[in-house]
Structures are given as structure tokens and as C-alpha cells.
Amino acid sequence: METTFNSENQQANGAVVLNNASLNLPIEYRTQISAKIVELKAKFNIKKVFVVIVEGNADDGEKPYYIAYLRRPNLMQFSQYMNFVQKDLVQANQMLARNIFLDGDKELIDDEELFLYGTMNQLNHVIDTRNSDIVKK
């Protein structure tokens, strides 16, 4: 799901924030995320940063929020993903997440529970296609 947090910053930074729309992210996290997006776009010379936010479980000793910054896969990574996804969807998604991870909490990829029930559900937004059409005459 896509959520709107500080849509002006999100649009200006070329960010797409992916998480549960009911997640109430404190302002200090939003400020940190906006600054990190600007930094990563400059560092990696990319147009768009995807931010995955997963709420932690305090009862399990987890921190309040896990945040990962991702980019779109390049052609080779996408091809590798498409080839592997037919054999094992979960492993293909984890491989994709590792390949496109820029910064943030690596636990969102390495921890099985955080990955399966948090990160993996959001990866389809990263590989979402653009609207296009073809005209035949």
C-alpha cells in the first residue's frame, strides 16, 4: 500500500513511501526519512527512492520501526528476478530485496519474519510497471 506522509517532501524528493496506511509515523522519523532520501538520491544518482517501513513489536524486544531504502532494479537484476520467481517466489523476492537495498535496517531483508510479513508484501511496488500503450494501424 502507498501512504502519503508529507506529500510535498515526498514529491520533491522523488520518494515513494510504502507501508501500511494506518501506520502513524512520528514527525522525527519523517524528517529523518526525507533527509536520507535526498542523501541517497545524490549518492547513487537515482531519481526515485522507495522507503519500506515496518512496525516493530515491542513485546518481542523489537524497535518501534524498521526502515529500508530501496531503488528500482537494473535490467540484469530484474531479469535474474523474473527467471528465479517462477521457481521460488520467496527466495526470488529476498534476492531482489538484497540487490536493490540502498540503506537502512538490513533486518527487513535478513530477519525471516520481518521479511515475510513486512518487506516482501511491498516489493511489488518497486517493480510496478509504467502505464503504456501500443497503437497498430
Side-chain angles (χ1 to χ4, degrees), residues 91-103:
Q91 291 296 321
N93 277 293
Q94 193 168 40
M95 176 191 62
L96 176 67
R98 282 195 178 102
N99 286 338
I100 64 175
F101 181 84
L102 296 172
D103 204 336

Side-chain angles (χ1 to χ4, degrees), residues 65-126:
Y65 300 98
Y66 292 87
I67 303 168
Y69 302 86
L70 311 173
R71 61 173 174 77
R72 286 197 190 273
N74 62 31
L75 183 63
M76 182 64 88
Q77 292 164 338
F78 188 75
S79 175
Q80 183 182 27
Y81 168 78
M82 291 303 290
N83 185 42
F84 200 35
V85 77
Q86 297 171 14
K87 298 172 188 154
D88 187 337
L89 176 64
V90 174
Q91 291 296 321
N93 277 293
Q94 193 168 40
M95 176 191 62
L96 176 67
R98 282 195 178 102
N99 286 338
I100 64 175
F101 181 84
L102 296 172
D103 204 336
D105 296 311
K106 198 77 163 165
E107 297 96 325
L108 286 177
I109 298 170
D110 296 336
D111 181 280
E112 287 182 9
E113 187 172 318
L114 288 171
F115 179 76
L116 281 173
Y117 305 109
T119 310
M120 191 169 118
N121 297 329
Q122 304 304 329
L123 290 176
N124 62 319
H125 295 286
V126 176

Side-chain angles (χ1 to χ4, degrees), residues 20-89:
N20 184 331
S22 67
L23 193 64
N24 189 15
L25 198 63
I27 191 70
E28 58 271 11
Y29 282 93
R30 296 173 191 212
T31 304
Q32 292 171 359
I33 290 169
S34 292
K36 185 58 120 175
I37 290 166
V38 171
E39 173 192 328
L40 292 172
K41 285 176 62 181
K43 179 178 179 180
F44 293 102
N45 193 27
I46 54 179
K47 295 178 183 175
K48 193 174 283 191
V49 173
F50 295 85
V51 183
V52 177
I53 304 166
V54 177
E55 196 169 26
N57 186 342
D59 294 339
D60 292 338
E62 295 177 345
K63 57 188 183 177
Y65 300 98
Y66 292 87
I67 303 168
Y69 302 86
L70 311 173
R71 61 173 174 77
R72 286 197 190 273
N74 62 31
L75 183 63
M76 182 64 88
Q77 292 164 338
F78 188 75
S79 175
Q80 183 182 27
Y81 168 78
M82 291 303 290
N83 185 42
F84 200 35
V85 77
Q86 297 171 14
K87 298 172 188 154
D88 187 337
L89 176 64

